[in-house]
Amino acid sequence: MKKIYKYMLVLPALVFGLSSCHDDNTTINIEGDTKIEAITISGQQGLVDNMAHSVVVEMPVATDLTSLTVDDIRLSDGASCDYPKGTVFNGSMPRSIHVTNGDVSTDYSLSVAHDRVEFYSFTVNGLYSGTIDNTTHTISVFVPLTTDLTEMSVTYEVNAGTEVTPAQGSLVDFSEPVEFTASHRTAEVVYVVTVSKNDMSQEPKAFVGFASTVEGLGDESKAACRWMMENVPNSTFVPLQDVLDGKVKLDDYVMVWAHFDFTEDWPSVLWDSRELFSGYWQRGGSILASRDGARYINDVWCIALDQQSPNNRFGGEGYEPLGSDLGFTITGHEDHPLYTDLEAEDGRILLKGAGCSYSNRTLQWCVDWEPYFDMAGWETKTGAKALASGNEYNANQVTIAEFEPREVVKGMTSGKVLVVGTPAFEWHDPSNSENPYQDNLIQFTNNAINYLCQ
């Protein structure tokens, strides 16, 4: 007990000693406000958000953003900043305004941009969503073949402050492309809206990819995705990371198209989201797995019974010109919806013409290899059925296969899966050669998407 009391006596002395070292002449001023109350830059009033600590300024479209001037800035009493009146700066990139008042400081983000207009959504008759390109200022809408185009209502969403004619709710004749004029302050842009009749399914569909935007995809994926966005009704690009982060629910789409470049990491983000994709398929979602998307039917998506990818994979590391026409041969099932309206020559369907460039990326099954040994063994072990062989018929080769719906979980039937691994199924051609079989390529893909939407 004596030891304890000894320390208790020492503590007050230490506190006294510390307090005696304090310099009474040092003070900290934390009472001043550090708000930007108003700011004017090159004649334009800024929008100040003192909660988010941000300043946004919109400039006329002809303004040179690289040379702007702070005409006036009003701060809290006693405050100062590093962008005082008269400051000239480059506003083409985000800036930070540092406001101080005594010993208190606040940083505001400063963003300057030209007046702009932008469509976020466009719908006709409350049912059919358009594909919007805010770069080319075009909007494409697909509707069923029986739709009357002469009197269709329009609804849309645009950026704040933008006015559009024709107005919301207008009845518009879309027998021909229609111009919609969008204006906001000094910005005025004409969007051309085209409504086309199409026999494609109107069900929501997704193209999944490894990048955050379509432009960030590899060349092959990007070419396929662009075609889908421009030609397939109600189709959306979905970044795989958004699926993993829960920002996008795959169940919102009746089918997804996974068409990956050879250069993508394996298995990358898809391994992390395997339960999301596998669950989507088990609950009835359908998948078009083409090119390197075909690899994921193994223990990633758990679609093939034997949990294996196509056992013969090669090519894809460079492009070369085709010496002769390239396609695939139908191995039975000639009446499959996948082959509707395709031009065939002796059971051979051509997708790429001689002279076009291709990468020869191939993902196929050799069914006579171990552990299958023959077609019957392959069907039993994989649970798939063969729809096509290679460019020339080979009874032991499968380049296109289907996994039909089956009960994976008790009381739950899976969706359909089409696997396309033929090297003829390519969308990117670095030589930009004219492909005489492009119509076949498009029709084949339309058939696949429509079939998976049923």
Side-chain angles (χ1 to χ4, degrees):
M1 292 295 293
K2 291 181 178 179
K3 186 175 183 179
I4 294 174
Y5 285 125
K6 179 180 179 181
Y7 287 143
M8 290 177 66
L9 291 171
V10 172
L11 284 173
L14 287 172
V15 173
F16 176 79
L18 288 172
S19 63
S20 67
C21 294
H22 180 66
D23 185 353
D24 292 331
N25 294 324
T26 301
T27 59
I28 299 176
N29 180 6
I30 59 173
E31 296 182 356
D33 284 335
T34 53
K35 292 181 179 178
I36 297 178
E37 297 180 350
I39 187 171
T40 304
I41 295 177
S42 294
Q44 303 300 314
Q45 187 75 29
L47 177 64
V48 180
D49 187 332
N50 281 303
M51 293 295 291
H53 299 138
S54 65
V55 177
V56 177
V57 188
E58 292 187 345
M59 291 287 171
V61 292
T63 303
D64 179 7
L65 298 184
T66 65
S67 182
L68 302 175
T69 304
V70 179
D71 300 331
D72 191 26
I73 185 167
R74 191 168 73 250
L75 308 172
S76 301
D77 289 343
S80 61
C81 73
D82 56 355
Y83 274 70
K85 180 179 179 179
T87 300
V88 178
F89 67 99
N90 182 351
S92 63
M93 62 190 72
R95 297 287 177 177
S96 177
I97 300 178
H98 186 67
V99 183
T100 59
N101 196 343
D103 295 294
V104 182
S105 66
T106 301
D107 288 312
Y108 282 74
S109 63
L110 170 62
S111 300
V112 184
H114 288 127
D115 295 334
R116 67 182 180 87
V117 298
E118 186 173 1
F119 274 87
Y120 298 139
S121 68
F122 191 97
T123 307
V124 296
N125 284 0
L127 294 172
Y128 311 113
S129 299
T131 299
I132 300 166
D133 190 326
N134 283 302
T135 301
T136 61
H137 306 130
T138 57
I139 301 174
S140 300
V141 188
F142 296 96
V143 297
L145 294 174
T146 56
T147 306
D148 179 8
L149 302 184
T150 61
E151 196 175 56
M152 309 188 78
S153 63
V154 295
T155 55
Y156 43 75
E157 182 184 2
V158 293
N159 61 304
T162 294
E163 297 182 354
V164 181
T165 55
Q168 291 261 21
S170 297
L171 294 177
V172 180
D173 182 353
F174 284 106
S175 299
E176 299 291 337
V178 177
E179 293 184 348
F180 280 67
T181 301
S183 59
H184 174 51
R185 293 177 14 122
T186 63
E188 182 173 295
V189 177
V190 175
Y191 281 73
V192 178
V193 180
T194 303
V195 178
S196 305
K197 293 185 178 184
N198 190 297
D199 61 354
M200 291 287 290
S201 166
Q202 292 291 331
E203 295 287 346
K205 315 162 193 69
F207 187 103
V208 295
F210 287 90
S212 59
T213 66
V214 175
E215 291 306 306
L217 295 171
D219 289 335
E220 177 62 28
S221 298
K222 179 163 56 179
C225 185
R226 279 178 173 170
W227 172 84
M228 186 180 189
M229 298 301 99
E230 295 170 3
N231 296 280
V232 177
N234 209 3
S235 57
T236 304
F237 171 67
V238 173
L240 287 168
Q241 191 61 47
D242 284 359
V243 178
L244 189 63
D245 293 342
K247 297 177 182 178
V248 175
K249 305 297 183 185
L250 291 177
D251 286 351
D252 291 340
Y253 305 97
V254 69
M255 67 82 62
V256 297
W257 184 7
H259 185 82
F260 302 145
D261 281 75
F262 170 73
T263 55
E264 307 293 3
D265 287 342
W266 164 264
S268 189
V269 68
L270 275 173
W271 181 261
D272 298 328
S273 57
R274 61 196 298 259
E275 293 182 3
L276 298 172
F277 277 83
S278 180
Y280 164 75
W281 167 69
Q282 290 177 8
R283 291 187 295 272
S286 293
I287 299 173
L288 174 56
S290 56
R291 197 171 167 88
D292 276 61
R295 300 176 69 181
Y296 295 90
I297 63 168
N298 64 351
D299 57 346
V300 179
W301 291 341
C302 304
I303 292 170
L305 287 179
D306 63 352
Q307 306 285 277
Q308 297 297 313
S309 306
N311 61 1
N312 186 215
R313 303 186 297 271
F314 55 88
E317 298 185 74
Y319 285 84
E320 59 184 40
L322 269 170
S324 58
D325 298 339
L326 185 65
F328 59 84
T329 51
I330 302 173
T331 52
H333 310 290
E334 285 84 356
D335 59 347
H336 195 285
L338 191 60
Y339 303 131
T340 302
D341 296 329
L342 287 177
E343 295 185 8
E345 300 176 7
D346 298 324
R348 182 169 173 244
I349 295 176
L350 300 174
L351 301 181
K352 278 267 191 180
C356 293
S357 294
Y358 85 130
S359 72
N360 197 33
R361 183 57 175 157
T362 305
L363 297 98
Q364 63 188 8
W365 283 275
C366 292
V367 302
D368 55 337
W369 290 7
E370 188 179 356
Y372 306 123
F373 300 111
D374 55 28
M375 183 64 75
W378 174 80
E379 290 175 343
T380 300
K381 284 183 167 57
T382 63
K385 71 177 182 181
L387 298 182
S389 179
N391 187 52
E392 302 295 337
Y393 176 72
N394 183 333
N396 292 312
Q397 188 181 83
V398 178
T399 62
I400 301 176
E402 178 180 4
F403 291 85
E404 295 178 311
R406 66 177 189 265
E407 188 179 63
V408 184
V409 179
K410 188 174 182 179
M412 187 181 298
T413 303
S414 71
K416 294 177 284 192
V417 177
L418 289 174
V419 177
V420 181
T422 168
F425 192 68
E426 285 194 352
W427 291 84
H428 174 62
D429 182 350
S431 67
N432 294 316
S433 301
E434 184 176 348
N435 180 15
Y437 303 109
Q438 188 71 12
D439 288 345
N440 260 2
L441 178 66
I442 291 171
Q443 185 63 48
F444 174 80
T445 312
N446 282 338
N447 291 343
I449 293 173
N450 261 345
Y451 177 66
L452 293 172
C453 287
Q454 295 172 0

